[in-house]
Structure formats: structure tokens, C-alpha cells
Amino acid sequence: MARGTRDAQLSMLALIDLETRIPADHPMRTIKHLADTALATLSPVFDAMYAAGGRPSIPPERLLKAHLLMALYSIRSERLLCEQLEYHLLYRWFLDMDLVEPGFVPTTFSKNRQRLLKHQVAELFMQAVVQQALAHELLSAEHFTVDGTLIEAAASLKRFTPRTPDGETPPVDDPGNPTVDFKGERRTNQTHASTTDPEARLARKGWGAEARLRFTGHALMENRNGLIVQFTVTEATGTAERDVVPALIEAARTFGLTPATLGADKGYDTYGCVAATEAAGVTPHFARYVTKTHPSAISAETAASPEYALSQRKRKRVEEIFGWLKTTGGLRRSRVRGVARTEQLAQWAAAAYNLVGVPLAMAGWMSPWAAGLGMAASSLLVVVNALRLTKAPPMPHPEH
């Protein structure tokens, strides 16, 4: 075999069809089809979002699918996505962009974020994805699991300052990076507030764990294939997980589902939460929390039933959802401020999780978390190869 040579004369003209550059069996083809189908149902909402005349804007469908790309490929910021759009053929194909079409600037996301919030587009899109799973009979109509997780807020503890009656903050030596010494100071949500994100609350995962400014995310999972039926974000009040249970049950009923059982961990085993769940017509299958001073609100008869054992075995899958959302979907720390914007970010990631899980659940191959793990491994391989190239030793100079 003869040695190949490099052509120094670059081609002046090339005809490239992006459709032919994407393999026919690429998983993003199915995800794109599901996303486009869901977006088609939101066309009347998009018409109401924009004026009839004026300068044409970037199609809202493109902005929405850009958020999906960020969750699917762990892109950490809108600025990085806009940079990669200049050379990533798969991203351009997914967003229905040709090779010569200019990309958009990062401020496009921030300027349209409030418009998307006003019309609840993220929630409507997630509902459209759930409707597709329902149409393919992938959802359990009666058995569900609920759980919560802490999402770190985009706020620093340095800005967690004492509350003042007039609302003014005390002067600092350096507005950009103030010197703060809170050693020995007792700081609580009742006496302090974040000046960066007033809706963020000081919370910790357990006794002895570090307290940080966080929100609480709540997921309602159906027990057949482990898909997300509803995802919401609230302030980290300490009781938020139990407070949102009735609302999550009603959210399942908006799809025509009839919840009969609801599994959860020990944190939900309180008399108030059990009573609220039973008042909603659902049998609570919460893990029993029994101590010398705290009897369980779940009866021994319920805990001895085979349905209860099955719910407890299924409920562990909700942790796989949180694992994917935080490692791949970029939800470990919020990129935005406020409960509403963080919830919008979380619903994009939850919709992306379902878009990965729906085709695999249809094929009966594997659970959605395994598919997400495969996509995460693919992204990790690209990063490792890039680091390997950048850290490669320099080539030796030829001897003269």
C-alpha cells in the first residue's frame, strides 16, 4: 500500500447534506423526531408569544431544542453551546440549521427566558413528551413514586447576610469579593437572606452535612418504566417534599391517570403527609420510619402487603432519575436565579430524560438511566480524547 499524501490545495466548493452526515441508526434521530412531534403541538402557544409583524426572531422551536442539547450532552452554558454551534454538525442538524447559516448569540437565551416563563413553555413541552409516552402505553396508570432532591443555587454563602428592617445591605470592603468572617455566627433562614438569590434557602442533606443555599426539586415517577410524569421546584423549606404531594397527585390526573399507590422514602412518613395522600384517594406506600419516640403513620397491615413490597422495590429507581439529571442534565447546580427559572431549567432536563427513555422503553431494551449513562459515557470519551491530545508531549525537533 502506497503512502497517502496531504492535499495542500483546499476545496473551494463543497456540497454537503447534513442529513447524510448523521448515521441512520444514531439515537438522536429518534429523539429529534419525538421532540419535533411535541413541539408541533405547541405551535398555537408560539403564535401567541410573538407579534404578527416586525423583524423575524429566532424560531422558538430552535431555542427549545437548544436547551435539550445542553441537557443531553452536558453543555455547561449557553455561551459554550453557541460556540460549538459554529463547528458541530450534529448540533446544527438537530436544530435544523444549514452549514452557512449563522448561529445565535448567548444573550438570545436570556432575552427569551422571561417570554418562555410567562407562557409556561417548558412545562407544556414536558407534558407533550409525557403524552407521547402515554400514547404508546409506556406509563403505569395507577402506581407512582415521589421523591425530592436538593439543587444548589447560583449564590454564594458570602452573600448570605443578616436581614435588615429597611432591606438595605451593610457596606462591604470589596463588592466583587467581600471579606466575610462568619465563624461562630449562627445563621438561619429566619435571620439571614441571600442578596444574590433571595429565594434560595440554607439547607443540608442530613445531620452533620454542609449547609448550602439550595432549592428543592420534586419528581413524580411512574413505576412501569421509570419515566418522569411531573417535575417541580420549590424553596427548600424542610417540609417542601411532603407539602407538594397533593399537587403532584393532581398533576398525574391531568393526563387521565388514576393514581392508586404512591411510594416514597422515610421522609414522607408523617401523619400529616399520610393523611393528605389518603384524602387524595391514594394509598401511601411510604417507607416506615419507626423510633422510640416516632411511631410510623403506615399501618402494619399495609406494610405487610405484597403491593407495598413492590412499591418499595420500585421507588429506588427515582434516585436514578436524580443521578442522571445532576450528572448529565447539568442540574447539580442551577445556572439561573430564582425558583421559577430553576424549575424551567429542571423541566428541560426532565423532558430530555424522557426523550432518552421513551424509545428504549418502547423497544424494551433497558431502563432510561442506562441510556443516559451511555450518552454520558460517549460525552466523557470525547472530553478524555481532547485532554489526551492537549497533554501530548511536543514533537522533537529534527536534527540539522
Side-chain angles (χ1 to χ4, degrees), residues 140-144 220 248-254 256-262 277 280-283:
S140 173
E142 298 180 343
H143 307 292
F144 298 86
L220 180 68
L248 293 176
I249 294 175
E250 290 302 319
R253 288 173 175 157
T254 59
L257 304 174
T258 56
T261 64
L262 183 68
T277 305
V282 179
T283 302

Side-chain angles (χ1 to χ4, degrees), residues 309-387:
L310 181 60
S311 294
Q312 285 300 301
R313 187 163 63 250
K314 287 286 189 178
R315 74 168 179 85
K316 299 177 182 178
R317 296 186 65 180
V318 74
E319 299 297 341
E320 300 165 359
I321 293 177
F322 293 144
W324 189 93
L325 293 180
K326 290 187 175 184
T327 56
T328 302
L331 205 59
R332 184 178 301 278
R333 188 175 191 270
S334 178
R335 299 193 300 268
V336 293
R337 300 174 184 175
V339 172
R341 295 183 179 185
T342 302
E343 182 178 65
Q344 184 187 52
L345 191 70
Q347 288 172 342
W348 292 132
Y353 179 89
N354 282 348
L355 287 174
V356 173
V358 165
L360 294 171
M362 291 172 57
W365 290 343
M366 62 182 72
S367 57
W369 70 269
L373 183 63
M375 296 192 68
S378 176
S379 302
L380 182 62
L381 182 62
V382 174
V383 174
V384 170
N385 287 335
L387 292 175

Side-chain angles (χ1 to χ4, degrees), residues 152-173:
E152 188 174 347
S156 172
L157 286 175
K158 284 189 174 183
R159 298 293 186 177
F160 195 62
T161 58
R163 298 178 184 267
T164 56
D166 54 4
E168 296 182 357
T169 58
V172 295
D173 56 347

Side-chain angles (χ1 to χ4, degrees), residues 385-400:
N385 287 335
L387 292 175
R388 180 176 57 83
L389 293 176
T390 57
K391 294 182 178 179
M395 296 294 294
H397 294 284
E399 297 181 359
H400 297 284

